[in-house]
């Protein structure tokens, strides 16, 4: 039985659509496989980076620019040795009374002139509170080195490994 021209055309068209569908499916599979391969490479790179972070500390420099107010009371308690070696001139008049028999009580004026030598070592104690109040402008850079502990990165590493197993 021979097919009519219309039926042959329909058959060819149907076979052509089937072939096109097959080609599109193969192209889609190849594209998805390429995406899967790139995902695996990216995840393996991420895993290597995570493992590298466990081995090498992160180093950076932190800039500090802060105003620090300082208010404090400093107790001061100290004794200072002081040596004295001097002469004190004394010049005065002393009025006193003296009881003299037969004359009774007599007022007398006695002039006193003397040089008194003073030689001594003294300890002079000083006790006070010294208030201190100022503002300090701290501008510096501080190198910082941080090691990430393995227990912090372990869950991420495990998640990456599980994802890689599913993609393979």
């Amino acid at each position: 039985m021979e097919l009519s021209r219309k039926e042959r055309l329909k058959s060819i068209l149907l076979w052509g659509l089937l072939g096109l569908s097959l080609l599109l499916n193969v192209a889609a599979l190849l594209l998805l496989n390429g995406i899967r391969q790139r995902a695996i490479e990216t995840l393996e790179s991420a895993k290597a980076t995570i493992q590298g972070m466990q081995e090498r500390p992160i180093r950076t420099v932190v800039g500090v620019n802060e105003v620090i107010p300082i208010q404090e009371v400093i107790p001061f308690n100290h004794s200072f040795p002081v040596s004295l070696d001097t002469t004190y001139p004394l010049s005065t008049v002393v009025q006193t009374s003296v009881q003299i028999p037969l004359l009774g009580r007599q007022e007398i004026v006695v002039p006193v002139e003397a040089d008194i030598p003073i030689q001594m070592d003294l300890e002079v104690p000083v006790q006070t509170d010294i208030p201190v109040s100022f503002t300090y402008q701290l501008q510096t850079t501080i190198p910082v080195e941080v090691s990430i502990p393995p227990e912090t990165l372990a869950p991420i590493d495990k998640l990456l490994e599980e994802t890689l197993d599913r993609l393979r």
Side-chain angles (χ1 to χ4, degrees):
M1 168 185 260
E2 200 169 304
L3 296 174
S4 72
R5 189 170 182 199
K6 247 182 170 183
E7 289 176 352
R8 258 190 287 161
L9 188 59
K10 281 182 186 180
S11 178
I12 292 172
L13 188 58
L14 197 57
W15 280 107
L17 286 174
L18 184 63
L20 182 62
S21 175
L22 185 61
L23 282 174
L24 287 175
N25 281 327
V26 168
L29 284 175
L30 290 174
L31 180 66
L32 288 174
N33 190 44
I35 291 171
R36 185 181 69 82
Q37 285 295 55
R38 283 193 293 275
I40 289 172
E41 290 169 8
T42 303
L43 289 172
E44 286 175 345
S45 172
K47 189 170 183 201
T49 301
I50 294 289
Q51 289 171 347
M53 290 173 74
Q54 290 176 349
E55 297 167 4
R56 292 184 312 253
I58 298 170
R59 292 183 179 99
T60 187
V61 175
V62 176
V64 177
N65 186 6
E66 291 289 325
V67 175
I68 302 172
I70 297 175
Q71 293 183 348
E72 192 63 48
V73 175
I74 300 172
F76 184 80
N77 184 8
H78 191 70
S79 293
F80 296 96
V82 176
S83 293
L84 287 177
D85 187 8
T86 187
T87 303
Y88 180 73
L90 180 63
S91 176
T92 188
V93 176
V94 177
Q95 289 184 345
T96 188
S97 60
V98 178
Q99 185 71 30
I100 300 179
L102 298 173
L103 293 175
R105 188 169 209 55
Q106 297 291 315
E107 294 287 325
I108 61 168
V109 176
V110 179
V112 178
E113 297 278 335
D115 287 331
I116 302 171
I118 300 174
Q119 292 180 340
M120 60 184 354
D121 292 328
L122 300 173
E123 287 287 322
V124 178
V126 177
Q127 293 180 342
T128 188
D129 290 334
I130 302 169
V132 176
S133 177
F134 64 93
T135 302
Y136 181 73
Q137 177 71 39
L138 177 63
Q139 290 181 321
T140 188
T141 56
I142 301 170
V144 177
E145 185 174 299
V146 178
S147 294
I148 298 175
E151 57 271 8
T152 303
L153 298 174
I156 298 169
D157 191 43
K158 182 180 176 186
L159 179 66
L160 289 173
E161 188 61 41
E162 288 172 1
T163 306
L164 279 169
D165 288 343
R166 288 185 189 136
L167 286 175
R168 288 184 184 141

